[in-house]
Amino acid sequence: MQKTTPTNIRKAVEEDVLDCLILFKQFHKESKLPYSWDAKKTQEAIISSFPIDNYEILVAEQGEEIVGLLACMYSQPLFSSESISTEIAWYVNKDHRNSTAGFRLMKAYEEWAVGKGVKYVGMTYLENITDLSEIYEKKGYLKAETQYMKEF
């Protein structure tokens, strides 16, 4: 029987920038998003997120290795005074998707959002990676929006 390494979920710190950058690049590559990858901009966004109260990057760590992340933020919509939280990127390295890392990141995100006084928590998925709608529905999420993109 193979011994599994426990997964620790924590907030990203500056020492995690390179690991997060690598995971964001893997996420972008797998997602087949139509826009280009910009490592410099991504690195700057990661670094600038650390002092911002309404933005967080959570990481899943197994041993000394960061194997996943979830970037999120909360705000108020233009038409409501209730806060909502949005998951911006949720990614676990392919080699660790059979672990609890993904679900533990989701749980930590929900706890973070509730701790910030958020009323609604949103999760997304990219159709090019996998359909997570069944998982979201089992976790109590309701489909609220679908996004389409057009290149100019």
Side-chain angles (χ1 to χ4, degrees), residues 118-151:
V118 168
K119 185 163 183 177
Y120 299 99
V121 175
M123 292 293 295
T124 61
Y125 70 87
L126 296 171
E127 306 233 355
N128 292 333
I129 295 180
T130 189
D131 181 348
L132 298 172
S133 56
E134 191 174 315
I135 291 170
Y136 291 156
E137 289 168 7
K138 285 181 182 178
K139 295 285 186 181
Y141 288 83
L142 302 174
K143 186 175 182 178
E145 181 178 347
T146 301
Q147 179 180 358
Y148 292 85
M149 297 183 93
K150 179 179 179 180
E151 183 176 357

CSV table of all heavy atoms in Angstrom, one decimal, residues 118-151:
chain,number,residue,atom,x,y,z
A,118,VAL,N,-18.9,37.2,3.4
A,118,VAL,CA,-19.4,37.0,2.1
A,118,VAL,C,-20.7,36.2,2.2
A,118,VAL,O,-20.8,35.3,3.0
A,118,VAL,CB,-18.4,36.3,1.2
A,118,VAL,CG1,-19.1,35.8,-0.1
A,118,VAL,CG2,-17.3,37.2,0.9
A,119,LYS,N,-21.8,36.7,1.5
A,119,LYS,CA,-23.1,36.0,1.5
A,119,LYS,C,-23.1,34.9,0.4
A,119,LYS,O,-23.7,33.8,0.7
A,119,LYS,CB,-24.2,36.9,1.3
A,119,LYS,CG,-25.5,36.3,1.4
A,119,LYS,CD,-26.7,37.3,1.6
A,119,LYS,CE,-28.0,36.5,1.8
A,119,LYS,NZ,-29.1,37.4,2.1
A,120,TYR,N,-22.5,35.1,-0.7
A,120,TYR,CA,-22.6,34.1,-1.8
A,120,TYR,C,-21.1,33.8,-2.3
A,120,TYR,O,-20.3,34.7,-2.4
A,120,TYR,CB,-23.3,34.7,-3.0
A,120,TYR,CG,-24.8,35.0,-2.7
A,120,TYR,CD1,-25.2,36.3,-2.4
A,120,TYR,CD2,-25.7,33.9,-2.6
A,120,TYR,CE1,-26.5,36.5,-2.0
A,120,TYR,CE2,-27.1,34.2,-2.3
A,120,TYR,CZ,-27.4,35.5,-2.0
A,120,TYR,OH,-28.7,35.8,-1.7
A,121,VAL,N,-20.9,32.5,-2.5
A,121,VAL,CA,-19.6,32.0,-2.9
A,121,VAL,C,-19.8,31.4,-4.3
A,121,VAL,O,-20.6,30.5,-4.5
A,121,VAL,CB,-19.0,31.0,-1.9
A,121,VAL,CG1,-17.7,30.4,-2.4
A,121,VAL,CG2,-18.8,31.6,-0.5
A,122,GLY,N,-18.9,31.8,-5.2
A,122,GLY,CA,-19.0,31.3,-6.6
A,122,GLY,C,-17.8,30.4,-6.9
A,122,GLY,O,-16.7,30.7,-6.5
A,123,MET,N,-18.1,29.4,-7.7
A,123,MET,CA,-17.1,28.5,-8.2
A,123,MET,C,-17.3,28.4,-9.7
A,123,MET,O,-18.5,28.5,-10.2
A,123,MET,CB,-17.2,27.1,-7.6
A,123,MET,CG,-16.9,27.0,-6.2
A,123,MET,SD,-15.1,27.3,-5.8
A,123,MET,CE,-14.3,25.9,-6.6
A,124,THR,N,-16.2,28.3,-10.5
A,124,THR,CA,-16.4,28.1,-12.0
A,124,THR,C,-15.6,26.9,-12.4
A,124,THR,O,-14.9,26.2,-11.6
A,124,THR,CB,-15.7,29.4,-12.7
A,124,THR,OG1,-14.4,29.4,-12.3
A,124,THR,CG2,-16.4,30.6,-12.3
A,125,TYR,N,-15.8,26.6,-13.7
A,125,TYR,CA,-14.9,25.5,-14.3
A,125,TYR,C,-14.8,25.9,-15.7
A,125,TYR,O,-15.6,26.6,-16.3
A,125,TYR,CB,-15.5,24.1,-14.1
A,125,TYR,CG,-16.7,23.8,-14.9
A,125,TYR,CD1,-16.7,23.3,-16.2
A,125,TYR,CD2,-18.0,24.0,-14.3
A,125,TYR,CE1,-17.8,23.0,-16.9
A,125,TYR,CE2,-19.1,23.7,-15.0
A,125,TYR,CZ,-19.1,23.2,-16.2
A,125,TYR,OH,-20.2,22.9,-16.9
A,126,LEU,N,-13.6,25.5,-16.3
A,126,LEU,CA,-13.4,25.7,-17.7
A,126,LEU,C,-13.7,24.4,-18.4
A,126,LEU,O,-13.2,23.3,-18.1
A,126,LEU,CB,-11.9,26.1,-17.9
A,126,LEU,CG,-11.5,27.4,-17.3
A,126,LEU,CD1,-10.0,27.6,-17.3
A,126,LEU,CD2,-12.2,28.5,-17.9
A,127,GLU,N,-14.5,24.5,-19.4
A,127,GLU,CA,-15.0,23.4,-20.2
A,127,GLU,C,-13.9,22.6,-20.8
A,127,GLU,O,-14.0,21.4,-21.0
A,127,GLU,CB,-16.0,23.8,-21.2
A,127,GLU,CG,-17.1,24.6,-20.6
A,127,GLU,CD,-18.5,24.1,-21.0
A,127,GLU,OE1,-18.6,23.2,-21.8
A,127,GLU,OE2,-19.5,24.7,-20.5
A,128,ASN,N,-12.8,23.2,-21.1
A,128,ASN,CA,-11.7,22.5,-21.8
A,128,ASN,C,-10.9,21.6,-20.8
A,128,ASN,O,-10.1,20.8,-21.2
A,128,ASN,CB,-10.7,23.6,-22.4
A,128,ASN,CG,-11.3,24.3,-23.5
A,128,ASN,OD1,-12.2,23.8,-24.2
A,128,ASN,ND2,-10.9,25.5,-23.8
A,129,ILE,N,-11.1,21.8,-19.5
A,129,ILE,CA,-10.3,21.0,-18.5
A,129,ILE,C,-11.3,19.8,-18.1
A,129,ILE,O,-11.0,18.7,-18.3
A,129,ILE,CB,-9.8,21.8,-17.3
A,129,ILE,CG1,-8.8,22.8,-17.8
A,129,ILE,CG2,-9.2,20.8,-16.3
A,129,ILE,CD1,-8.2,23.6,-16.7
A,130,THR,N,-12.4,20.2,-17.5
A,130,THR,CA,-13.3,19.1,-17.0
A,130,THR,C,-14.6,19.8,-16.6
A,130,THR,O,-14.6,20.9,-16.2
A,130,THR,CB,-12.7,18.3,-15.9
A,130,THR,OG1,-13.6,17.2,-15.6
A,130,THR,CG2,-12.6,19.1,-14.6
A,131,ASP,N,-15.7,19.1,-16.7
A,131,ASP,CA,-17.0,19.5,-16.3
A,131,ASP,C,-17.2,19.2,-14.8
A,131,ASP,O,-17.2,18.1,-14.4
A,131,ASP,CB,-18.1,18.8,-17.1
A,131,ASP,CG,-19.5,19.3,-16.7
A,131,ASP,OD1,-19.7,20.0,-15.7
A,131,ASP,OD2,-20.4,19.0,-17.5
A,132,LEU,N,-17.2,20.3,-14.0
A,132,LEU,CA,-17.3,20.1,-12.5
A,132,LEU,C,-18.7,20.4,-12.0
A,132,LEU,O,-19.0,20.4,-10.8
A,132,LEU,CB,-16.3,21.0,-11.8
A,132,LEU,CG,-14.9,20.8,-12.1
A,132,LEU,CD1,-14.0,21.9,-11.6
A,132,LEU,CD2,-14.4,19.4,-11.6
A,133,SER,N,-19.7,20.5,-12.9
A,133,SER,CA,-21.1,20.9,-12.5
A,133,SER,C,-21.7,19.9,-11.5
A,133,SER,O,-22.3,20.3,-10.5
A,133,SER,CB,-22.0,21.1,-13.7
A,133,SER,OG,-22.0,20.0,-14.5
A,134,GLU,N,-21.5,18.6,-11.8
A,134,GLU,CA,-22.0,17.6,-10.9
A,134,GLU,C,-21.4,17.7,-9.5
A,134,GLU,O,-22.2,17.6,-8.5
A,134,GLU,CB,-21.8,16.2,-11.4
A,134,GLU,CG,-22.5,15.1,-10.7
A,134,GLU,CD,-22.4,13.8,-11.4
A,134,GLU,OE1,-22.5,13.7,-12.7
A,134,GLU,OE2,-22.2,12.8,-10.7
A,135,ILE,N,-20.1,17.9,-9.4
A,135,ILE,CA,-19.5,18.1,-8.1
A,135,ILE,C,-20.0,19.3,-7.4
A,135,ILE,O,-20.4,19.3,-6.2
A,135,ILE,CB,-17.9,18.2,-8.2
A,135,ILE,CG1,-17.4,16.8,-8.7
A,135,ILE,CG2,-17.3,18.6,-6.9
A,135,ILE,CD1,-16.0,16.8,-9.1
A,136,TYR,N,-20.1,20.4,-8.1
A,136,TYR,CA,-20.6,21.7,-7.5
A,136,TYR,C,-22.0,21.5,-7.0
A,136,TYR,O,-22.4,22.0,-5.9
A,136,TYR,CB,-20.6,22.8,-8.5
A,136,TYR,CG,-19.2,23.3,-8.9
A,136,TYR,CD1,-18.9,23.9,-10.1
A,136,TYR,CD2,-18.1,23.1,-8.0
A,136,TYR,CE1,-17.6,24.4,-10.4
A,136,TYR,CE2,-16.8,23.5,-8.4
A,136,TYR,CZ,-16.6,24.1,-9.6
A,136,TYR,OH,-15.3,24.6,-9.9
A,137,GLU,N,-22.9,20.9,-7.8
A,137,GLU,CA,-24.3,20.7,-7.3
A,137,GLU,C,-24.3,19.8,-6.1
A,137,GLU,O,-25.1,20.1,-5.2
A,137,GLU,CB,-25.1,20.1,-8.5
A,137,GLU,CG,-25.3,21.1,-9.6
A,137,GLU,CD,-25.9,20.5,-10.9
A,137,GLU,OE1,-26.2,19.3,-10.9
A,137,GLU,OE2,-26.0,21.2,-11.9
A,138,LYS,N,-23.5,18.8,-6.0
A,138,LYS,CA,-23.4,17.9,-4.8
A,138,LYS,C,-23.0,18.7,-3.6
A,138,LYS,O,-23.3,18.4,-2.4
A,138,LYS,CB,-22.5,16.7,-5.0
A,138,LYS,CG,-23.1,15.6,-5.9
A,138,LYS,CD,-22.2,14.5,-6.1
A,138,LYS,CE,-22.8,13.4,-7.0
A,138,LYS,NZ,-21.9,12.3,-7.2
A,139,LYS,N,-22.2,19.8,-3.8
A,139,LYS,CA,-21.7,20.6,-2.7
A,139,LYS,C,-22.6,21.7,-2.4
A,139,LYS,O,-22.3,22.6,-1.6
A,139,LYS,CB,-20.3,21.2,-3.1
A,139,LYS,CG,-19.2,20.1,-3.2
A,139,LYS,CD,-18.8,19.6,-1.9
A,139,LYS,CE,-17.6,18.7,-2.0
A,139,LYS,NZ,-17.2,18.2,-0.7
A,140,GLY,N,-23.8,21.8,-3.1
A,140,GLY,CA,-24.8,22.8,-2.8
A,140,GLY,C,-24.8,24.0,-3.6
A,140,GLY,O,-25.5,25.0,-3.4
A,141,TYR,N,-24.0,24.0,-4.7
A,141,TYR,CA,-23.9,25.2,-5.6
A,141,TYR,C,-25.0,25.1,-6.7
A,141,TYR,O,-25.3,24.0,-7.1
A,141,TYR,CB,-22.5,25.3,-6.3
A,141,TYR,CG,-21.4,25.7,-5.4
A,141,TYR,CD1,-20.8,24.7,-4.5
A,141,TYR,CD2,-21.0,27.0,-5.3
A,141,TYR,CE1,-19.7,25.1,-3.7
A,141,TYR,CE2,-19.9,27.4,-4.5
A,141,TYR,CZ,-19.3,26.4,-3.7
A,141,TYR,OH,-18.3,26.8,-2.8
A,142,LEU,N,-25.5,26.2,-7.1
A,142,LEU,CA,-26.5,26.3,-8.1
A,142,LEU,C,-25.9,27.1,-9.3
A,142,LEU,O,-25.1,28.0,-9.1
A,142,LEU,CB,-27.7,27.1,-7.7
A,142,LEU,CG,-28.4,26.5,-6.4
A,142,LEU,CD1,-29.5,27.5,-6.0
A,142,LEU,CD2,-29.0,25.2,-6.8
A,143,LYS,N,-26.2,26.6,-10.5
A,143,LYS,CA,-25.7,27.3,-11.7
A,143,LYS,C,-26.3,28.7,-11.8
A,143,LYS,O,-27.5,28.8,-11.7
A,143,LYS,CB,-26.0,26.5,-13.0
A,143,LYS,CG,-25.4,27.0,-14.2
A,143,LYS,CD,-25.7,26.1,-15.4
A,143,LYS,CE,-25.0,26.7,-16.6
A,143,LYS,NZ,-25.2,25.8,-17.8
A,144,ALA,N,-25.4,29.7,-12.0
A,144,ALA,CA,-25.9,31.0,-12.0
A,144,ALA,C,-25.5,31.8,-13.2
A,144,ALA,O,-26.2,32.8,-13.5
A,144,ALA,CB,-25.2,31.8,-10.8
A,145,GLU,N,-24.5,31.4,-14.0
A,145,GLU,CA,-24.1,32.2,-15.1
A,145,GLU,C,-23.3,31.3,-16.1
A,145,GLU,O,-22.6,30.3,-15.6
A,145,GLU,CB,-23.2,33.3,-14.6
A,145,GLU,CG,-22.6,34.2,-15.6
A,145,GLU,CD,-21.8,35.4,-15.0
A,145,GLU,OE1,-21.9,35.6,-13.8
A,145,GLU,OE2,-21.2,36.1,-15.8
A,146,THR,N,-23.3,31.6,-17.3
A,146,THR,CA,-22.5,31.0,-18.3
A,146,THR,C,-21.8,32.1,-19.1
A,146,THR,O,-22.4,33.1,-19.5
A,146,THR,CB,-23.3,30.1,-19.3
A,146,THR,OG1,-24.0,29.1,-18.5
A,146,THR,CG2,-22.4,29.5,-20.3
A,147,GLN,N,-20.5,32.0,-19.4
A,147,GLN,CA,-19.8,33.0,-20.1
A,147,GLN,C,-19.3,32.5,-21.5
A,147,GLN,O,-18.9,31.4,-21.6
A,147,GLN,CB,-18.5,33.4,-19.3
A,147,GLN,CG,-17.7,34.5,-20.0
A,147,GLN,CD,-16.5,34.9,-19.2
A,147,GLN,OE1,-16.2,34.4,-18.1
A,147,GLN,NE2,-15.7,35.8,-19.8
A,148,TYR,N,-19.5,33.4,-22.5
A,148,TYR,CA,-19.0,33.2,-23.8
A,148,TYR,C,-18.0,34.2,-24.2
A,148,TYR,O,-18.1,35.4,-23.7
A,148,TYR,CB,-20.2,33.2,-24.8
A,148,TYR,CG,-21.1,32.1,-24.6
A,148,TYR,CD1,-22.2,32.2,-23.7
A,148,TYR,CD2,-21.0,30.9,-25.4
A,148,TYR,CE1,-23.1,31.1,-23.5
A,148,TYR,CE2,-21.9,29.9,-25.2
A,148,TYR,CZ,-22.9,30.0,-24.3
A,148,TYR,OH,-23.8,29.0,-24.1
A,149,MET,N,-17.0,33.9,-25.0
A,149,MET,CA,-16.0,34.8,-25.4
A,149,MET,C,-15.9,34.9,-26.9
A,149,MET,O,-16.1,33.9,-27.6
A,149,MET,CB,-14.6,34.4,-24.8
A,149,MET,CG,-14.5,34.4,-23.3
A,149,MET,SD,-12.9,34.1,-22.7
A,149,MET,CE,-12.3,35.7,-22.6
A,150,LYS,N,-15.6,36.1,-27.4
A,150,LYS,CA,-15.4,36.4,-28.8
A,150,LYS,C,-14.1,37.2,-29.0
A,150,LYS,O,-13.9,38.2,-28.3
A,150,LYS,CB,-16.6,37.2,-29.3
A,150,LYS,CG,-16.5,37.5,-30.8
A,150,LYS,CD,-17.8,38.2,-31.2
A,150,LYS,CE,-17.7,38.6,-32.7
A,150,LYS,NZ,-19.0,39.4,-33.0
A,151,GLU,N,-13.3,36.8,-29.9
A,151,GLU,CA,-12.0,37.5,-30.1
A,151,GLU,C,-12.2,38.6,-31.2
A,151,GLU,O,-12.9,38.4,-32.2
A,151,GLU,CB,-11.0,36.5,-30.6
A,151,GLU,CG,-9.6,37.1,-30.8
A,151,GLU,CD,-8.5,36.1,-31.2
A,151,GLU,OE1,-8.8,34.9,-31.2
A,151,GLU,OE2,-7.4,36.6,-31.4
